[in-house]
Amino acid sequence: MSDSTKPVRVRFAPSPTGKLHVGGARTAIFNWAFARANNGTFILRIDDTDPTRSTDENTQIILRAMRWMGLDWDEGPDVGGEFGPYAQTERLDMYKAAAQRLWDEGKAYPCFCTPEQLATDREAAKARKDPFQGYQRRCRDLDPDEARRRIDAGEPYVLRIKVPDGRGDVIIHDAVHGDVTFDAKELDDFVIFRSDGTPTYNFATVVDDAAMGITHVIRGDDHLSNTPRQVMVYEALGAPVPVFAHISMILGADGKKLSKRHGATSVEEFRDEGYLPDAFVNYLALLGWSPDGETTIVPRDVLASTFSLDRVSKNPATFDPAKLDWINAEYLANMSDDEFTDKIMVPELVEAGLMDEGDHTREWLCTLASVVRPRTKHLGDVAGICSMVFATAESLTYEDKAVSKGLAKEGMSDVLAAATSALEAVPDGDWNAEAIDAALEVLPDQLDVKKRLVFQAIRAAICGNLVSPPLGVVVELVGKADALARIKRARGMAL
């Protein structure tokens, strides 16, 4: 549980400027899990104050990605809540009111400095080697009446926060990094409202977090440098400062920040590549956190009950696609045949056009699932593994290697003839993998041919390749007539 006596309230506040990427998804997972583990509230807020890049379409992409991952929110778009609205573009009046209050209380002031003036002041500070090279507070002590006259005359201005004289260093008590100190000399009177009447990020996000009662801000450590300015806004508003937890960035295998050059980076791409949402959430949760340093499979309910900030590492995490593949395969392998059939196999086969709903009996489908499930790493593997089963004797594709190693060897035509006789002898009512395997098992001794050669030839004839699920099951699934037709066709390629 958190040390805070207040009920935990956390938020994930993405900017809808594009797709939801791995880093943002991991931040959302940590916030969701922390809220659930502490019986708290998880809020989804859309920080869409950049009108040139924020779009409703991008917002919907984020919502779809969150839903696919199974991260339900207690307050936010589509569910509402008493602290709404939950999009910054709909909260402009709140920001204006908060800024006006700070202005009225003497904690903020209008600044009329032009970009040229600011640049000149900055160069002058550099030239005299001033330890402080931020805004030189040129308008800080402007007479209020003069400021009002200039505003009434239509002169452009921004609103700046007034950092208290002698404020001292800002110390952030970070739940991941420990105490982080920011030199007071680096704090300038920064802009909280632009000349176009829109709030800056560091102002709007604090107004929102304060209004929504956020107790913990869990976000990427690229936001750490924003934190001292945000603390200034909390203090000016008279609002409690939340607990900050800045989580490390995610790196590629080359040690550089994860990006497109490392492969898929957005939630949608991983969904489309055939990863299960539970496996994806499990893997991302382990990028910088673990329950005990050893456990790899962390089901969603365990994550939601055991997540804690004191187990979050301050070191960067490395994204390992092979580990994600392994976790995904584990989740698939641990499904029952019934669950795999309904949730994975049938939808994949229908989408691939290999079958229609209702084409096969439940028993047949579950038998197929029993051999497909352990061989599946991604959902997209299913159609490829199953393709030989759904082919006909005429449409089956034979790999060159299967023909050259399995069929085009002396005596293999006789092997296939014997296999035909053995399968014909299996009663239709006993057509199952066990009876089929028993019928074929005696052929090597009968023919005095090595077992490997006999079964290579039969596998090549039935499957078109030399690597496939258990032969008896495949023969059962394709059916007696088709199995015999496949062998007949293959004898034309055998010696």
Side-chain angles (χ1 to χ4, degrees), residues 106 109 137 140-141 161-169 184 187 189 232:
Y109 61 92
R137 300 181 170 180
R140 181 170 169 129
D141 298 317
I161 199 161
K162 187 180 285 187
V163 176
D165 288 325
R167 166 60 180 77
D169 294 346
L187 294 174
D189 291 356
M232 293 296 97

Side-chain angles (χ1 to χ4, degrees), residues 98 101-102 107 161 163 190-192 200-208 210 226-239 241:
R101 177 163 71 84
L102 295 187
K107 297 175 181 176
I161 199 161
V163 176
F190 55 93
V191 175
I192 59 173
T200 58
Y201 168 78
N202 283 322
F203 183 67
T205 196
V206 173
V207 171
D208 287 342
N226 292 326
T227 310
R229 292 187 171 196
Q230 292 175 8
V231 168
M232 293 296 97
V233 179
Y234 280 109
E235 292 179 355
L237 293 172
V241 177

Side-chain angles (χ1 to χ4, degrees), residues 418-419 421-423 425-426 433-443 446 455:
S421 299
L423 293 177
V426 177
E434 187 177 356
I436 292 164
D437 284 336
L440 298 177
E441 191 66 34
V442 299
L443 295 184
Q446 283 182 3
F455 283 95

Side-chain angles (χ1 to χ4, degrees), residues 457-479:
I458 300 171
R459 184 178 296 279
I462 298 289
C463 304
N465 62 46
L466 299 178
V467 181
S468 63
L471 182 59
V473 179
V474 176
V475 176
E476 174 190 345
L477 290 168
V478 301

Side-chain angles (χ1 to χ4, degrees), residues 211-275:
M212 294 179 180
I214 300 302
T215 60
H216 297 73
V217 174
I218 305 169
R219 59 189 181 186
D221 61 10
D222 53 326
H223 286 284
L224 185 58
S225 60
N226 292 326
T227 310
R229 292 187 171 196
Q230 292 175 8
V231 168
M232 293 296 97
V233 179
Y234 280 109
E235 292 179 355
L237 293 172
V241 177
V243 174
F244 288 100
H246 288 92
I247 54 183
S248 64
M249 68 173 61
I250 301 173
L251 307 178
D254 57 2
K256 296 179 180 178
K257 188 175 180 180
L258 194 68
S259 67
K260 274 287 184 187
R261 69 175 177 276
H262 297 106
T265 58
S266 75
V267 173
E268 284 185 324
E269 287 174 304
F270 285 100
R271 178 201 67 196
D272 294 344
E273 286 188 4
Y275 292 95

Side-chain angles (χ1 to χ4, degrees), residues 292-357:
D292 52 24
E294 297 177 3
T295 304
T296 304
I297 301 301
V298 185
R300 188 180 298 267
D301 59 335
V302 175
L303 173 64
S305 62
T306 62
F307 185 87
S308 64
L309 293 175
D310 58 9
R311 296 289 308 174
V312 175
S313 172
K314 68 177 70 173
N315 300 317
T318 300
F319 192 91
D320 181 358
K323 187 171 182 180
L324 172 58
D325 285 349
W326 182 85
I327 290 176
N328 201 58
E330 285 292 296
Y331 271 84
L332 289 165
N334 287 324
M335 284 183 171
S336 66
D337 288 338
D338 279 320
E339 184 182 15
F340 183 81
T341 296
D342 294 335
K343 291 185 178 180
I344 309 297
M345 190 178 75
V346 169
E348 287 294 315
L349 294 177
V350 169
E351 185 178 348
L354 292 176
M355 62 170 277
D356 292 323
E357 295 275 3

Side-chain angles (χ1 to χ4, degrees), residues 162-213:
K162 187 180 285 187
V163 176
D165 288 325
R167 166 60 180 77
D169 294 346
V170 176
I171 302 175
I172 309 299
H173 304 291
D174 192 275
V176 175
H177 294 272
D179 287 354
V180 182
T181 301
F182 292 88
D183 193 330
K185 291 194 296 292
E186 297 175 5
L187 294 174
D188 63 357
D189 291 356
F190 55 93
V191 175
I192 59 173
F193 247 85
R194 304 181 186 93
S195 58
D196 64 0
T198 60
T200 58
Y201 168 78
N202 283 322
F203 183 67
T205 196
V206 173
V207 171
D208 287 342
D209 286 347
M212 294 179 180

